[in-house]
Every structure is written in C-alpha cells, then in structure tokens.
Amino acid sequence: MRIITLLLVALNASDAMRLAPHRLKSGGGRLMALRGGRRGGGSSGLLSDYSAIEWAGEDVGEGFPATGRDARHVKTHLDNYKLLDFSPLLNTASYVNVVAEREEEEVALSGLKVNIADQTIYPGSFKLHNDALNMLGDLWHLPKSASFDEYGCHAGACTVGSTEVCLLAGLALKFRWRKWYAARHGLSESEVRSVYPNLVISTMSCWEKLFKYMDIEPHFVSPKVGEMVLRPEDVRAAVDDKTIGVVCILGNHYSGHYDPVASVGEVLGELNRANGWQVGIHVDAASGGFVMPFQPEEEVGLCDFRVPAVLSMSASGHKFGVSMCGTGWVLWRDRDDLSEHIAISVSYLGGKADSYTLNFSRPASGSAVQMYKFLRLGRDGYTKLCASQMAVAAMIRRGLAEMLHTPTSRPLFTLLDAGDKGCLPVVAAQFNKELGLPYDSTDLQHVLSERHWYVGGYHMNFNHPLTEEKTPLFSDADADVAMFRVVVKANLSPMLARDLIAAVRETCDFLERTGEAYQKLHAGVKSQPFSSH
C-alpha cells in the first residue's frame, strides 16, 4: 500500500484512476512488473514512464547490476540515454544514413541472428552477400576475373564500415608490394619485412589506423584549398619504389571533390613503365561510391575499374548507399596477387571457406539491408535520389552565397566545395576572411546546435598519425582557420533546407551581436569537434 500511495502522489488524478483497477505485485519493498493490460501501451505502459522508481538512489552504470528488472523499465531506461542525443535527422555533420523503412528494419533484425562468417551453416545468407558483391561490381564496371566462375562472385567483402576497408585494402597493397620488392632486390621474406613502405594520399580520413598499426608511412600530398583534389603532378613527385599504392578519394571528406582517378592512373602508368614498378590505385569511394555511378559520365570522368591502374575500390554502404550503420564494401580487381594476400581459410566451423575481413563473427544485417536497398531502389531510384540530394545541396549553397554581412553588405561566406555537379551533395564554406570577424565556423557550429541543427565545424588541420604533430590540410591555407560542412543526406528535404538556411542566418546575427565575446575564446586554438564518419 505504501508503494501505491507514493505512485498516487506522483501521478495526476486521471492517471491515478486508470491505475487503480490494476494489481501491483511487490516484493522486498521494490515495485515489480505490472500485470495485465496491453504490453507497452494502455495502463500497463504507464508504469514504464515511472521506471525511475526502481533506480531511485542508485547510480546505474558504476557497477554490474545485482538483479534483473522488468523489460519495459529497462527499455525506458535505455531510451532515456537517446533523449540526450542530438536529433540524427538534423545532424548534417555526419555522412551516415539515419532513415529506414519498416521492412528494412525487419530485414536488419533478421540478419542479427545470422553469423555471416559461418558460410557452411548459412549458405543462403552468404549467397545474398555474394550477389550484392556482384551487383556492386557491375555498378563499378569490374570485369570478371579468371577465378570468377570458380567462386561465383568477385573478390571482395562486406565490412564494418570504411575503416576496416582501409585496413584490408592497405594490407593487400602492402603484401603485394612486399612480394614484388623482395624479388626485385633479392631479399628473403625476413629481410623485406624490415623495409618501411609508404602510401600516397591527400587527406587522411579513415586511413589513420592503417598508418599507425601496420607500419606504413604516409606520403601526404596536400591539396589546394580551392581544389581539394590530388594533383597528378604531385603524385609523380611523391611515388618511389617503396610506394605500395596511391589512394584516390572519390568524394573528399571535407568538400565533396572527386580526385582525378584517370589522370593519376596515366601518371602511374608512365612511372611504372619507366622504372619497372607496379604501383596501382585504391579508389576510396567511401562517400562517392553510391553517388558517382548515378551522375553523368561527362561530369565525373572515369573513376572506377575502367581505369586500368585501379586495383581495388571501396565504399561505405551506410552513407549514400543508404544502408544501415556499420556497412562497408571492398572489391579487388583479382584474387591473384591482391585479395589472396589477406584471405584466411576457415575450416573449424565445419566445411571450408575464405574470410577476407579483419573481424570473424559478425551479423548478416549489413549485407542484407544493402541488398534490400539495391532491390528497392534500383539504378533508377538511386539516380533520382542522387539528383534530389544534389538539388537540395545547390539550394543550401545559394542560400549561403546570398547571405551578406549586415554591417558591411559584403558576402558573409566563402564557398569551398566543388559546386553543383560532378561531386558529392556536400556544401562547404567558411566565413569571409576579408571581414576579419572575431568568430569562426566552430562558433557557428556550437550556436547553431542550440537551434536543433548540427553542422561539422573544424579547423583546417589534422594530427599526423605517426608524430601527432599538427599538420595543415591544405598547402595554401592557414592550418588554424576554420571551415564548416553540410552533408545533404536522403532525409534532408527542401523544407528542412530552408529552415537550416534561416537558422544559419539567425545564428550569424547572434554571433555579430555578441562577436566581441568570442575574442577571448580565440586567444588559443579551440579543439576540433569534427567527427570523420
């Protein structure tokens, strides 16, 4: 009765009337599960709103729980964590897809019960995985290799996002180079292991762990801030006989630009012929792998396996592939002297199969949801989705370009992205440096978040993966200058885009009114709040 009395005090009269007819079961002085009623709704669902009663006076999270609790109360407790998050639908700092259809969620839930690594027990699920690989190979114009008929699919794998892809692709290039370098210089396997190879790349994004964990030196080629692409002439100067490969980024993470894959391939062809090298390209299409194929070829050029120098290519399915979070893809041109270097033969679960991924056990949800999206949208659907996102990006870009600094009537922003075509649906900008404003793009990010929107604001530098030294992102820009980026994902409609533009305008007005207060904050460089995924 004491517990019921406490509840009646906490609830209003109408709630109390609904609770009265129901029976409460208590034990040990603690409220137990409510019996009767519809689970998760009606009167029974009401108690889940008051699940804090069970946790009163207890700091959940400091130690392992001594006893279990009612499922509805646990669900409410976990939901409370999410209440403290920003809205995923208004987060334009991240590339990760945040929308899903009901059927898609059911597919994902079903995949959670399947360990896709166990190909013997789940052959149907693994065939789904391989069919998705072949669809992706078709999208990227990957020719069938000599081993295709034997395996029934291209050499590749579904991974847990882009970072695993970078590690796999980088290791395949490293082991391929090591075999070539040992033969060229007459080194034994142990001797060649002491040689430190390098990888040529412009911006780092997800490659940091490869350099830090796998004994590979980054040869950074800093792009210009107005271009943000890997220039072929700079590649020529950065490559040597210890270079395992060149990474061309299809969709610069910061601005949406595409590296000129075909032009870089031509330079590598010249170097290889002149020096007897075998340096090839990995196309990091983490963001652009599901955008570029649906854009006019005259706008993007050749960026895939149609370029002979391309040895491997990857993409994040959970970005513009609109799959679930934690879905990545990698494809190799051939198994021989490429993916074979990282393949592991697995037999201890019964049967025999090859594993390409770093992690062994993993759910089949990623590949299943990706296949759902392939079949649901098709080439036509992805093309329309891409066109829609590009149109919304152009709308936001125009909105920023038209904004003026009120006191001077001069342009408030300088646009840094690739424009309206032949790139990702991304808008990148910074405050007009000529205005000498006391606030910057990270201040815009912080204040704008109070209006529900979140954009990626960050300074133009990164920490070198080996030395931890601050390194400029661009060859012609101050490393301490800030910029911001808006990623136009599938859920960002024109109506939301208009609200975002209005919110930016209001935020800038606030920053202008309070600008002097930011001078003290900028006495030292602020930390980077930017997330790379």
Side-chain angles (χ1 to χ4, degrees):
M1 286 299 296
R2 181 180 179 184
I3 295 174
I4 295 178
T5 302
L6 289 173
L7 276 175
L8 294 179
V9 170
L11 304 178
N12 60 38
S14 60
D15 287 338
M17 289 298 292
R18 289 197 299 270
L19 269 178
H22 291 271
R23 294 174 294 170
L24 296 175
K25 185 176 181 180
S26 61
R30 183 164 57 85
L31 180 64
M32 302 298 286
L34 178 67
R35 301 296 182 186
R38 183 167 55 88
R39 184 175 181 84
S43 299
S44 63
L46 186 62
L47 273 189
S48 65
D49 296 332
Y50 296 89
S51 61
I53 294 172
E54 288 200 351
W55 275 277
E58 181 180 350
D59 191 356
V60 177
E62 287 204 348
F64 198 84
T67 60
R69 292 178 170 87
D70 181 87
R72 291 162 297 171
H73 292 185
V74 172
K75 174 65 165 53
T76 299
H77 183 72
L78 299 183
D79 287 342
N80 288 340
Y81 283 101
K82 292 183 64 178
L83 289 175
L84 305 178
D85 294 339
F86 280 94
S87 169
L89 295 172
L90 301 182
N91 176 16
T92 70
S94 169
Y95 281 88
V96 178
N97 174 54
V98 293
V99 294
E101 296 176 314
R102 178 177 56 82
E103 293 84 356
E104 182 181 351
E105 293 175 344
E106 293 173 357
V107 168
L109 185 61
S110 175
L112 289 176
K113 304 171 185 177
V114 175
N115 181 6
I116 193 63
D118 196 346
Q119 302 172 28
T120 304
I121 300 300
Y122 304 108
S125 295
F126 202 75
K127 185 179 187 308
L128 182 155
H129 167 278
N130 290 346
D131 287 348
L133 274 179
N134 291 340
M135 291 181 182
L136 196 54
D138 178 63
L139 195 64
W140 294 344
H141 300 95
L142 175 58
K144 292 182 179 180
S145 65
S147 62
F148 183 90
D149 291 337
E150 178 183 355
Y151 289 87
C153 66
H154 294 293
C158 180
T159 66
V160 185
S162 294
T163 300
E164 185 180 9
V165 162
C166 296
L167 292 169
L168 290 169
L171 286 173
L173 290 174
K174 178 181 178 179
F175 297 148
R176 174 178 182 265
W177 166 85
R178 181 185 285 172
K179 179 181 176 182
W180 169 84
Y181 193 86
R184 182 182 176 94
H185 295 277
L187 302 178
S188 66
E189 184 173 340
S190 59
E191 289 172 332
V192 76
R193 287 176 181 270
S194 65
V195 183
Y196 202 27
N198 65 74
L199 179 69
V200 176
I201 191 171
S202 57
T203 53
M204 190 164 54
S205 193
C206 293
W207 292 85
E208 180 179 12
K209 291 184 178 179
L210 176 74
F211 298 128
K212 198 160 189 173
Y213 299 165
M214 305 301 178
D215 289 333
I216 297 173
E217 180 184 4
H219 275 195
F220 288 118
V221 177
S222 299
K224 293 182 178 180
V225 70
E227 301 174 358
M228 298 196 188
V229 296
L230 188 67
R231 297 183 298 275
E233 59 270 24
D234 291 340
V235 171
R236 188 185 300 275
V239 172
D240 57 35
D241 70 339
K242 295 183 180 64
T243 300
I244 66 175
V246 175
V247 176
C248 287
I249 299 176
L250 209 58
N252 182 289
H253 196 74
Y254 305 95
S255 65
H257 288 75
Y258 294 161
D259 280 345
V261 180
S263 298
V264 172
E266 291 175 0
V267 168
L268 291 181
E270 295 173 8
L271 291 174
N272 289 339
R273 289 189 295 270
N275 299 285
W277 299 342
Q278 60 165 21
V279 182
I281 295 173
H282 173 78
V283 177
D284 179 359
S287 301
F290 291 100
V291 178
M292 176 275 298
F294 309 110
Q295 295 174 316
E297 187 176 311
E298 59 270 19
E299 294 181 4
V300 300
L302 297 183
C303 302
D304 53 25
F305 285 103
R306 288 172 291 181
V307 177
V310 173
L311 302 178
S312 52
M313 186 167 175
S314 60
S316 292
H318 61 223
K319 294 179 181 175
F320 293 113
V322 288
S323 183
M324 60 174 285
C325 185
T327 307
W329 295 95
V330 60
L331 282 171
W332 285 275
R333 184 176 289 275
D334 204 343
R335 287 175 174 83
D336 294 338
D337 204 28
L338 277 171
S339 65
E340 67 175 3
H341 292 301
I342 58 170
I344 302 295
S345 181
V346 178
S347 59
Y348 56 82
L349 289 180
K352 182 179 180 180
D354 287 339
S355 173
Y356 289 111
T357 55
L358 294 176
N359 191 57
F360 183 57
S361 294
R362 63 194 191 283
S365 299
S367 54
V369 171
Q370 189 72 81
M371 175 64 89
Y372 174 89
K373 282 296 175 63
F374 286 173
L375 298 176
R376 180 77 172 88
L377 295 176
R379 193 179 295 267
D380 179 66
Y382 272 106
T383 301
K384 291 178 180 177
L385 181 60
C386 175
S388 173
Q389 291 169 283
M390 292 296 290
V392 173
M395 176 183 174
I396 296 173
R397 190 174 296 110
R398 287 193 301 273
L400 295 180
E402 293 170 357
M403 286 189 193
L404 300 179
H405 181 236
T406 303
T408 64
S409 296
R410 299 170 68 183
L412 184 57
F413 295 109
T414 300
L415 295 174
L416 302 174
D417 55 63
D420 295 339
K421 61 182 181 179
C423 59
L424 298 180
V426 164
V427 181
Q430 64 181 181
F431 283 109
N432 185 350
K433 291 185 291 184
E434 296 180 357
L435 297 175
L437 301 174
Y439 47 85
D440 65 14
S441 297
T442 58
D443 300 317
L444 173 70
Q445 176 198 44
H446 296 149
V447 179
L448 188 62
S449 67
E450 297 178 8
R451 290 165 170 78
H452 309 296
W453 288 99
Y454 200 82
V455 301
Y458 47 96
H459 292 93
M460 295 181 178
N461 62 69
F462 62 93
N463 291 335
H464 192 285
L466 303 183
T467 66
E468 295 297 328
E469 294 179 354
K470 185 171 71 174
T471 305
L473 272 175
F474 308 110
S475 61
D476 58 347
D478 186 343
D480 291 327
V481 172
M483 61 182 292
F484 69 95
R485 184 199 65 201
V486 174
V487 178
V488 178
K489 294 185 285 192
N491 67 287
L492 191 54
S493 66
M495 186 273 285
L496 289 176
R498 283 189 286 271
D499 186 84
L500 173 59
I501 294 170
V504 170
R505 175 73 271 178
E506 293 171 5
T507 298
C508 291
D509 290 342
F510 172 83
L511 291 172
E512 184 62 30
R513 292 194 304 271
T514 58
E516 293 182 1
Y518 287 91
Q519 290 178 339
K520 292 183 179 179
L521 292 176
H522 291 277
V525 178
K526 295 192 291 294
S527 60
Q528 296 183 56
F530 173 66
S531 171
S532 62
H533 298 283

